[in-house]
């Protein structure tokens, strides 16, 4: 993996990430394909909507179809006929979300499969092995994801454990053509954020995730934590803010030096009629759009906005037609990949601050 910076504006970076399956220009939004597919968007659709890299989930792929099937195909790229870079998350977030059906100690996490109740164990080494079998371009280490609202003591413990697990993941990773990213934690405690960021970034990972944010806290808290973590992170490696897909927060993160982001929200929202637009989010199911002949977003030049009306897409979504969900999903992915492209251009031109202000002003002032 190579990471070069093509331009800077303040702390914001326009980067170029060279991975096994292609080049990714940053800042970048990564749509989430949990089971090895983006819901309501085929590979062709995802690429057409401007995605350069997608996210797949190690937890789900490990349980189904399982490593044996993935190994028999030589990995996810062959299995799913994907030819663009793929990042796999470690599955830690999903395992820790099982709450009552998991148990954690220093060795790893035992959990019950939500599919058939079978018992499994994730250790830092096992999670590396799973992602090596999946063959993603970027693998993430297993970290301890605490539920929001945890106290100082348990967050301290999780920072210590996350550090130990990161070291174990590093020493068990063998796949040369796969990058491995560490994950920084620390909850909403500034000192612990600092401690975790310094510890994890002192290890020779290819890049770094910022974990445990955007889990229900307010945007000011997220930004405060970014302000603690980002200045401590190395300049020459990519920084990945995990689980963020809100346009305003994405711009705030880019301004502070974040390069990569992912979120299920734009695709999940799209399937239910939630549309991202340049003047804020709208719900296409609302009756006000019943006879609206205009596009989903009058400032969007995607093929859905060039062709279809709000009234028609509203009708399809209300009827549960998958075509409606496909069109809305496409637009939402396009909207975010385009926002990232525009951010990159603004950074290269040294105009990111004006660009960000302009976008946020429009979003806030014309909320529907
Ligand atoms: Zn559009």
């Amino acid at each position: 993996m190579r990471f070069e910076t093509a331009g800077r504006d303040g702390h914001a970076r326009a980067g170029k990430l060279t991975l096994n399956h292609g080049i990714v220009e940053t800042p970048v939004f990564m749509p989430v394909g949990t089971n090895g597919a983006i819901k309501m968007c085929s590979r062709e659709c995802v690429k057409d909507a401007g995605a350069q890299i997608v996210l797949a989930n190690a937890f789900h792929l490990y349980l189904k179809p399982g490593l044996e099937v993935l190994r028999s195909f030589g990995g996810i790229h062959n299995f799913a006929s994907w030819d663009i870079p793929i990042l796999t998350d470690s599955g830690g977030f999903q395992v820790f979300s099982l709450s009552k059906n998991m148990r954690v100690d220093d060795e790893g996490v035992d959990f019950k499969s939500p599919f058939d109740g079978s018992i499994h164990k994730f250790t830092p080494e096992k999670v590396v092995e799973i992602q090596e079998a999946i063959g993603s371009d970027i693998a993430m280490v297993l970290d301890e994801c605490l539920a929001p609202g945890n106290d100082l003591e348990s967050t301290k413990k999780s920072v210590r454990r996350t550090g130990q697990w990161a070291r174990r993941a590093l020493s068990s990773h063998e796949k040369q053509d796969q990058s491995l990213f560490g994950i920084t934690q620390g909850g909403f405690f500034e000192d612990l954020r600092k401690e975790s960021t310094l510890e994890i970034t002192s290890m020779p990972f290819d890049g770094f995730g910022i974990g445990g944010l955007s889990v229900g806290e307010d945007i000011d808290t997220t930004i405060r934590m970014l302000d603690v973590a980002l200045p401590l992170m190395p300049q020459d490696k990519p920084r990945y803010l995990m689980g963020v897909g809100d346009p305003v927060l994405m711009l705030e993160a880019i301004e502070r030096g974040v390069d990569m982001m992912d979120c299920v929200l734009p695709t999940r929202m799209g399937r239910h009629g939630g549309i991202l637009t340049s003047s804020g989010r709208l719900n296409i199911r609302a009756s006000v759009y019943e006879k609206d002949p205009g596009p989903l977003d009058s400032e969007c030049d995607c093929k859905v906005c060039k062709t279809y009306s709000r009234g028609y897409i509203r009708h399809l979504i209300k009827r549960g037609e998958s075509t409606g969900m496909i069109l809305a999903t496409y637009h939402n992915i396009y909207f975010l990949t385009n926002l990232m492209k525009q951010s990159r251009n603004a950074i290269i031109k040294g105009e990111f601050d004006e660009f960000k202000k302009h976008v946020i002003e429009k979003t806030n002032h014309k909320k529907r």
Side-chain angles (χ1 to χ4, degrees), residues 79-319:
F79 181 53
S81 299
W82 279 90
D83 55 0
I84 63 172
I86 296 177
L87 179 147
T88 36
D89 68 9
S90 65
F93 183 78
Q94 282 73 25
V95 169
F96 285 97
S97 308
L98 297 172
S99 53
K100 277 189 196 126
N101 290 319
M102 68 96 189
R103 201 183 53 82
V104 59
D105 59 24
D106 285 346
E107 180 56 24
V109 203
D110 296 291
F111 64 97
K112 215 188 235 181
S113 161
F115 296 124
D116 57 12
S118 53
I119 304 292
H120 301 264
K121 187 177 196 80
F122 272 8
T123 61
E125 294 82 4
K126 177 74 185 174
V127 161
V128 164
E129 184 200 330
I130 292 169
Q131 293 177 90
E132 287 186 336
I134 294 172
S136 49
D137 296 78
I138 300 174
M140 304 298 298
V141 298
L142 181 67
D143 57 333
E144 184 173 12
C145 312
L146 290 180
N150 259 276
D151 61 11
L152 183 68
E153 274 316 302
S154 41
T155 310
K156 246 185 211 166
K157 224 164 122 190
S158 91
V159 163
R160 185 185 52 85
R161 194 172 270 158
T162 293
Q164 289 167 352
W165 286 1
R167 264 181 213 99
R168 282 166 55 190
L170 255 182
S171 54
S172 72
H173 186 247
E174 288 174 349
K175 196 169 160 47
Q176 292 294 324
D177 58 0
Q178 182 181 58
S179 306
L180 184 65
F181 279 25
I183 302 177
T184 63
Q185 286 285 348
F188 306 121
F189 301 98
E190 290 176 18
D191 287 352
L192 293 180
R193 273 275 151 205
K194 214 171 179 178
E195 187 186 319
S196 177
T197 306
L198 286 173
E199 182 185 12
I200 301 292
T201 57
S202 72
M203 300 180 205
F205 285 109
D206 299 302
F208 299 98
I210 304 169
L213 294 181
S214 196
V215 289
E217 77 280 13
D218 59 64
I219 184 166
D220 292 339
T221 305
T222 320
I223 290 173
R224 193 159 50 84
M225 292 303 120
L226 290 179
D227 283 336
V228 171
L230 282 161
L232 303 173
M233 300 178 89
Q235 288 290 338
D236 58 346
K237 292 188 176 169
R239 300 132 169 204
Y240 162 29
L241 176 57
M242 304 171 79
V244 166
D246 168 69
V248 172
L249 183 51
M250 289 172 94
L251 295 178
E252 297 287 357
I254 292 168
E255 184 178 41
R256 289 163 171 80
V258 164
D259 307 300
M260 308 162 72
M261 285 166 275
D262 79 287
C263 192
V264 290
L265 202 71
T267 41
R268 182 181 291 162
M269 237 173 61
R271 297 197 297 281
H272 295 97
I275 309 294
L276 295 170
T277 82
S278 47
S279 46
R281 204 181 284 182
L282 65 81
N283 181 0
I284 200 69
R285 302 172 70 96
S287 55
V288 64
Y289 303 117
E290 190 176 14
K291 293 173 186 165
D292 192 334
L296 290 177
D297 180 5
S298 57
E299 288 184 28
C300 178
D301 60 356
C302 87
K303 64 185 185 191
V304 171
C305 289
K306 277 183 190 155
T307 314
Y308 299 99
S309 67
R310 286 174 167 177
Y312 177 60
I313 294 173
R314 173 182 186 271
H315 159 70
L316 294 179
I317 297 257
K318 295 262 302 174
R319 297 301 305 146

Side-chain angles (χ1 to χ4, degrees), residues 301-362:
D301 60 356
C302 87
K303 64 185 185 191
V304 171
C305 289
K306 277 183 190 155
T307 314
Y308 299 99
S309 67
R310 286 174 167 177
Y312 177 60
I313 294 173
R314 173 182 186 271
H315 159 70
L316 294 179
I317 297 257
K318 295 262 302 174
R319 297 301 305 146
E321 282 288 347
S322 45
T323 299
M325 302 181 207
I326 289 167
L327 297 176
T329 300
Y330 179 93
H331 163 82
N332 279 354
I333 295 177
Y334 185 96
F335 181 87
L336 287 185
T337 57
N338 193 43
L339 183 69
M340 295 300 99
K341 216 182 280 172
Q342 290 175 324
S343 300
R344 181 182 166 83
N345 289 339
I347 293 167
I348 291 172
K349 282 194 211 149
E351 297 168 356
F352 183 73
D353 192 37
E354 294 91 307
F355 170 74
K356 181 195 145 197
K357 273 191 196 134
H358 178 67
V359 172
I360 292 181
E361 221 161 77
K362 273 196 299 183

Side-chain angles (χ1 to χ4, degrees), residues 29-49:
F29 168 70
M30 305 181 282
V32 180
T34 304
N35 292 306
I38 315 295
K39 288 185 173 65
M40 295 292 162
C41 204
S42 66
R43 180 190 76 150
E44 291 73 20
C45 155
V46 170
K47 284 169 73 174
D48 198 63

